[in-house]
Amino acid sequence: MPPAMWEVRSPSFWRAVFAEFFATMIYVFFGLGASLRWGVGPLNVLQVALAFGLAAATLVQVLGHVSGAHVNPAVTFAFLVGAQLSLLRAAFYMVAQVLGGVAGAAVLYGLTPAAIRGNLALNTIHPGVTLAQATTVEIFLTLQFVLCFFATYDERHNGRVGSVALAIGFSLALGHLFGMYYTGAGMNPARSFAPAAITRNFSNHWVYWVGPILGATLAGLLYDFVLCPRMRGLAERLAILKGEQVAEGQAPPEPPGDPMELKTQAL
C-alpha cells in the first residue's frame, strides 16, 4: 500500500477531517449570524470583528489538538506550502472546510426570518474600491493572520508566552476591524463562499479566493524561509507532502486495525 494511504486508514485522520467540517460550520454560523442587520443604522464593525475573533479563538481552544483548527482553506494551503502536512490531508481539509461553511450558512438561513436574512452577510467590495485594491487588501489581511497562525503553532517556540487561541482570535479581529470597510474582510474562502452559494451571488467572488490564497502563501514562505527558517531538505519536504513522513508537532497516524490483533499477527 502506498505510504500516503496509511493516513486515510487512520481513525485520527477522519476525526481531524470531521473536526474541520464541524469547526467551519460553527465559525460561519456564528460569524455570519453576528453580521446580520436586525435594526436600522450602520453595521457595528466591532461586534462583527469580536464575533469572528471569539469564534476562531474558541474553536482553536476546543479542536486545535484534533485537527489544528485551521477552519480556513487559505490557512491549510499555507501549511501545505510550508510542508507541514501532506497533500492528501490538505485536500480533505479544504473540502471539509468549504462544505462545513455551506452547512453553517444553510442552518443560519433556515433559522433567520426572511426580512433579516438579506444577503446573509455576503462579502462585498466597497463601491470606491477597485478590484486590484480589494485583492491587495485581502492579501494583507490574510498575510498577518497566517503569520500569527504559523508563529503561535510553531513547536520550536517552547517558551512562548500567552494563549495561542487568543492570539489567533485577536489577529482575526484585527483583520476585520480594518478590512470590513474595504472588502467586508473575507480572509477565509470558506466563509466567503458559504453565503455566496446560499444566495447564488458570486459577483467578484474570485477576489475572496485569490487574495487570501496569495496572502497565505506569502505568509507561509516568509515565515518558513525568512523569519524563522526550518532546516529541511527538499527530500524531507517531499516526503511530508506525500505522507511518507510526519512533520514536527503533528501526531503520527494511528495504525489501522485493532492493536491486539496487530500484536498477535506480529508474533
Side-chain angles (χ1 to χ4, degrees):
M1 175 179 291
M5 296 308 294
W6 285 102
E7 202 168 23
V8 176
R9 296 185 63 185
S10 167
S12 64
F13 174 84
W14 293 107
R15 281 197 296 270
V17 171
F18 176 75
E20 287 298 315
F21 170 86
F22 180 74
T24 312
M25 180 180 70
I26 296 298
Y27 174 78
V28 168
F29 177 79
F30 281 98
L32 296 188
S35 305
L36 298 178
R37 296 177 183 270
W38 286 82
V40 296
L43 185 65
N44 190 324
V45 173
L46 180 59
Q47 171 184 309
V48 176
L50 285 176
F52 277 107
L54 290 173
T58 301
L59 293 166
V60 168
Q61 186 67 38
V62 174
L63 296 172
H65 63 287
V66 179
S67 66
H70 295 179
V71 198
N72 186 334
V75 171
T76 298
F77 190 79
F79 276 99
L80 178 65
V81 170
Q84 295 195 46
L85 76 172
S86 69
L87 180 61
L88 184 69
R89 181 177 291 262
F92 273 88
Y93 270 23
M94 288 190 276
V95 171
Q97 290 155 0
V98 171
L99 293 178
V102 173
V107 172
L108 179 65
Y109 184 89
L111 295 177
T112 307
I116 304 298
R117 290 175 195 149
N119 61 5
L120 213 62
L122 179 75
N123 284 131
T124 56
I125 300 172
H126 187 278
V129 177
T130 67
L131 291 177
Q133 290 171 332
T135 305
T136 305
V137 166
E138 286 292 321
I139 289 174
F140 275 97
L141 296 179
T142 315
L143 172 68
Q144 64 85 22
F145 178 59
V146 173
L147 277 177
C148 180
F149 232 104
F150 268 58
T152 54
Y153 271 39
D154 194 339
E155 73 287 344
R156 296 170 294 173
H157 295 174
N158 295 324
R160 59 190 171 200
V161 179
S163 165
V164 171
L166 284 180
I168 289 174
F170 283 140
S171 177
L172 188 64
L174 170 64
H176 279 77
L177 288 172
F178 177 87
M180 285 286 295
Y181 298 102
Y182 289 82
T183 62
M187 302 173 65
N188 184 334
R191 175 263 182 266
S192 300
F193 180 80
I198 297 298
T199 62
R200 296 180 179 83
N201 184 349
F202 292 94
S203 177
N204 298 322
H205 182 66
W206 63 269
V207 169
Y208 300 99
W209 284 86
V210 174
I213 293 296
L214 286 179
T217 301
L218 288 173
L221 295 174
L222 183 62
Y223 188 85
D224 266 358
F225 292 96
V226 179
L227 297 177
C228 200
R230 293 179 183 272
M231 301 305 169
R232 289 184 187 147
L234 178 60
E236 183 181 358
R237 289 180 179 274
L238 289 176
I240 293 173
L241 291 175
K242 291 190 287 186
E244 298 172 355
Q245 180 176 331
V246 178
E248 304 100 321
Q250 183 179 325
E254 300 173 4
D258 182 80
M260 293 302 296
E261 181 183 343
L262 292 174
K263 184 176 181 181
T264 304
Q265 292 174 355
L267 294 174

